[in-house]
Amino acid sequence: MGLKGSMYNGISGIRAHSEAMSIIGNNLANGNTIGFKGARTSFEDAFYSAINTGGGIGQVGHGVGIASIYGDFKQGPFEPSSEATNVAIGGKGFFTVRHPDTDATYYTRAGNFIFNKQGVLTDPHGYVVQGWKVNPNSESGKPDIIGSPTDIVLDRFQSPPVRTSEIAMTVNLSSKAEDKCNVTGQPFFSLHQTWNGKNNPPIPADRYAFQNTIKTFDESGTSHDLTIYFDPVKDNTVTTDAAGNRVYEFIVTVPPGEDGRTINGTALNTTSAAGLLMTGTMTFNPRGEMIGMSSFSLKDSATGGMQDLTNWVPSPMSDEGKPIFTANFLGKANANLATDPDANPITLDFGLSNGSNPPTWSTPTPADASAVGNTLANIPNFTTPKRSASYSTSYDTGNARNSQSQNGYGAGFLQAVEVDRDGVVTGRYSNGQVLDLYVLTLANFNNQYCLRREGGNLFSSTRDSGSALTGRAGTGPLGAIASNKLEQSNVDVGDEMVKLITTQRGFQANSKAITTADQLLGELIQLKR
């Protein structure tokens, strides 16, 4: 090969170390680039020539080349951010973004995303972040996703109202309370008989032992006060049964002027039954535990006096075994009872439900409330009473509301956007609702080292990297999402400085090989003078 070949070996070394120096320089230049992943260079020896030697065939090398330039995908440190949409991935995975003009898909670790003036979540170059829409009716622990990944766009700046369909309330009704409402012959429906929707107030304050009000909402998002009145049944003939069980009566009411029901042509807000939605009883054992419940609602064929107990029949039950009443606040023609197509049924939960399937009232089931009379044995109950973890009681600790909730709310406006560790983008609204909007799409690759760098913190897939394997954060190999965080460059400056020194020395050594070969060639030229 000779001296000339040794010069070319030195040139290959200079070229290889120059490329390595470029990689190191790029790493150092991006030491503060969001989500940047450094690269490393590997050298390899070039091909060899065979020569004859005294010991046989020998080989002489022809320099060095670049074996590979691989990305370093180790985790970078996190920096706090004040933007909720600045997100980082703790572990494997890439965010997915789409070019707004070409629809080309790219991948990035830089989560410095913001919503633009059109409400589109974008990166600094205007590339649109991708995610799955969320099924608003998801019932699982995690939001259900719909379809394929799409642009994350805030098109739900307003949270629509949702009418109340469930009310849950647990109370303690004192076992020592005085019976303040006792209508002769109707001990279990004294509150019902005392109520008069034409009066103001409809029931005097001295005719019940306890009352509790909860705010509910109609279809338009308007709120309405719903009040439940309670009074113990301590008639001498029905104070307790042989087992020592005690009974409280209750009525469920709304302001009479807000009662829009019409039955058989009679507007209830013109009758004494205005605002009276349900009547019933609660039964407690001697330990104060709720063991039974009855409820009656106005039947759809009611005639004559709407407060007549013959017009009140055992309430229908939900599939969960909870009694149902219907409040018609908007005056819809067919929204009076749970059986009507336009009705808005509301379930009532005192902490006791019917565990039978299907849920039914136990026998004897009275045809109407008037059949109960003053006999405890005539009060219907759930076929299979089932207490929840929290239920109403009757202890000697005074009347009190323990808890209450309802599932309706009025309209609200978007106030803030948040992202959780599962990549779920949620909107927080002025009505107190937190609605799931999107789930960030993360991508992984069988061979991430063969991704193509596109600049702008973007990668694209190649044949060698394989197609993107998309999924949700925290599933499979994909990492979790950190909100209000940005992943910094993973370049280790100290490590790069050491590489800088060794690369410099390698470059110098190869340049010395060239100058030495040049000196030897000079000596050869000097042989002939």
Side-chain angles (χ1 to χ4, degrees):
M1 182 176 64
L3 292 176
K4 193 173 182 180
S6 64
M7 293 185 72
Y8 285 120
N9 284 349
I11 291 173
S12 70
I14 287 176
R15 184 182 295 114
H17 282 80
S18 295
E19 296 293 343
M21 188 66 73
S22 296
I23 299 299
I24 296 170
N26 187 60
N27 288 345
L28 291 172
N30 287 280
N32 292 312
T33 300
I34 301 298
F36 178 77
K37 298 302 177 185
R40 62 179 184 271
T41 309
S42 298
F43 294 157
E44 64 179 0
D45 51 354
F47 67 93
Y48 289 82
S49 296
I51 62 172
N52 293 319
T53 67
I57 300 298
Q59 289 182 301
V60 177
H62 291 277
V64 67
I66 302 295
S68 65
I69 301 175
Y70 284 144
D72 180 5
F73 288 95
K74 69 174 181 288
Q75 183 77 56
F78 287 175
E79 175 187 357
S81 169
S82 60
E83 290 289 338
T85 53
N86 284 175
V87 288
I89 303 173
K92 288 188 174 182
F94 297 83
F95 298 110
T96 306
V97 296
R98 180 187 66 84
H99 193 291
D101 299 324
T102 66
D103 286 338
T105 301
Y106 298 96
Y107 310 94
T108 182
R109 291 283 297 194
N112 48 339
F113 306 135
I114 59 171
F115 284 101
N116 63 17
K117 62 182 180 180
Q118 287 82 28
V120 181
L121 188 62
T122 63
D123 74 356
H125 301 282
Y127 289 24
V128 184
V129 183
Q130 301 295 286
W132 288 283
K133 284 188 175 182
V134 172
N135 181 1
N137 299 317
S138 298
E139 297 181 355
S140 59
K142 289 186 176 182
D144 297 329
I145 57 178
I146 301 174
S148 57
T150 186
D151 297 347
I152 295 181
V153 182
L154 282 183
D155 52 5
R156 293 173 66 181
F157 288 99
Q158 186 173 12
S159 168
V162 171
R163 67 171 181 84
T164 298
S165 62
E166 298 176 4
I167 291 176
M169 181 184 299
T170 61
V171 294
N172 182 71
L173 303 173
S174 173
S175 61
K176 304 297 184 181
E178 178 185 351
D179 185 354
K180 295 185 177 183
C181 189
N182 192 342
V183 176
T184 303
Q186 298 297 340
F188 303 113
F189 302 101
S190 295
L191 289 174
H192 178 275
Q193 295 295 288
T194 302
W195 176 273
N196 189 340
K198 294 181 178 182
N199 294 340
N200 186 18
I203 186 169
D206 60 353
R207 299 301 302 275
Y208 54 87
F210 182 62
Q211 64 89 16
N212 187 55
T213 299
I214 185 172
K215 192 177 295 295
T216 61
F217 296 85
D218 62 27
E219 298 94 319
S220 67
T222 304
S223 63
H224 304 270
D225 286 340
L226 185 144
T227 303
I228 304 179
Y229 297 89
F230 303 90
D231 197 61
V233 178
K234 292 192 174 180
D235 186 284
N236 290 333
T237 61
V238 294
T239 300
T240 59
D241 60 10
N245 298 324
R246 301 187 298 272
V247 179
Y248 258 80
E249 60 172 314
F250 72 89
I251 55 174
V252 180
T253 69
V254 294
E258 299 176 13
D259 189 350
R261 294 175 297 169
T262 299
I263 296 180
N264 281 335
T266 300
L268 262 73
N269 58 15
T270 64
T271 70
S272 62
L276 192 57
L277 306 181
M278 177 182 278
T279 184
T281 62
M282 303 164 68
T283 304
F284 302 91
N285 64 23
R287 294 188 298 274
E289 300 167 333
M290 187 175 177
I291 59 172
M293 177 180 177
S294 70
S295 68
F296 295 84
S297 303
L298 192 60
K299 64 182 179 180
D300 55 0
S301 59
T303 57
M306 293 298 169
Q307 211 162 345
D308 191 323
L309 290 176
T310 58
N311 284 323
W312 292 75
V313 295
S315 302
M317 292 190 210
S318 67
D319 292 338
E320 293 76 26
K322 298 171 185 177
I324 298 173
F325 64 88
T326 300
N328 182 353
F329 296 113
L330 301 182
K332 290 184 178 180
N334 294 320
N336 305 308
L337 299 166
T339 55
D340 289 327
D342 294 329
N344 293 333
I346 301 176
T347 63
L348 178 63
D349 182 7
F350 284 138
L352 192 74
S353 60
N354 195 346
S356 64
N357 187 16
T360 57
W361 294 106
S362 64
T363 54
T365 303
D368 53 61
S370 67
V372 175
N374 62 355
T375 305
L376 274 173
N378 289 343
I379 297 177
N381 193 7
F382 297 144
T383 304
T384 309
K386 181 179 179 182
R387 285 196 298 264
S388 60
S390 177
Y391 55 89
S392 295
T393 56
S394 181
Y395 301 140
D396 184 18
T397 56
N399 295 312
R401 180 195 70 203
N402 296 328
S403 66
Q404 68 178 26
S405 64
Q406 58 86 36
N407 63 346
Y409 48 85
F413 296 94
L414 182 66
Q415 293 183 317
V417 175
E418 300 172 355
V419 184
D420 69 11
R421 63 180 288 108
D422 295 321
V424 181
V425 181
T426 58
R428 188 175 296 276
Y429 295 83
S430 58
N431 58 3
Q433 298 304 303
V434 178
L435 303 182
D436 298 328
L437 305 177
Y438 291 90
V439 176
L440 288 173
T441 299
L442 297 191
N444 194 33
F445 296 88
N446 290 327
N447 185 5
Q448 62 184 357
Y449 299 103
C450 288
L451 290 171
R452 178 183 175 85
R453 295 176 186 256
E454 300 289 349
N457 287 333
L458 301 176
F459 296 87
S460 62
S461 61
T462 65
R463 179 181 299 178
D464 292 332
S465 70
S467 300
L469 306 173
T470 57
R472 299 168 60 156
T475 61
L478 298 173
I481 299 294
S483 182
N484 294 102
K485 298 286 191 299
L486 286 174
E487 183 182 6
Q488 298 299 301
S489 170
N490 69 348
V491 172
D492 186 328
V493 176
D495 187 45
E496 295 302 317
M497 294 304 291
V498 171
K499 292 179 181 178
L500 192 67
I501 294 172
T502 57
T503 302
Q504 177 188 9
R505 292 307 181 189
F507 186 96
Q508 290 176 334
N510 280 278
S511 65
K512 287 296 182 181
I514 293 174
T515 57
T516 301
D518 177 58
Q519 291 174 357
L520 292 176
L521 286 173
E523 291 296 328
L524 286 175
I525 292 172
Q526 293 298 323
L527 291 176
K528 184 176 185 301
R529 292 176 179 259

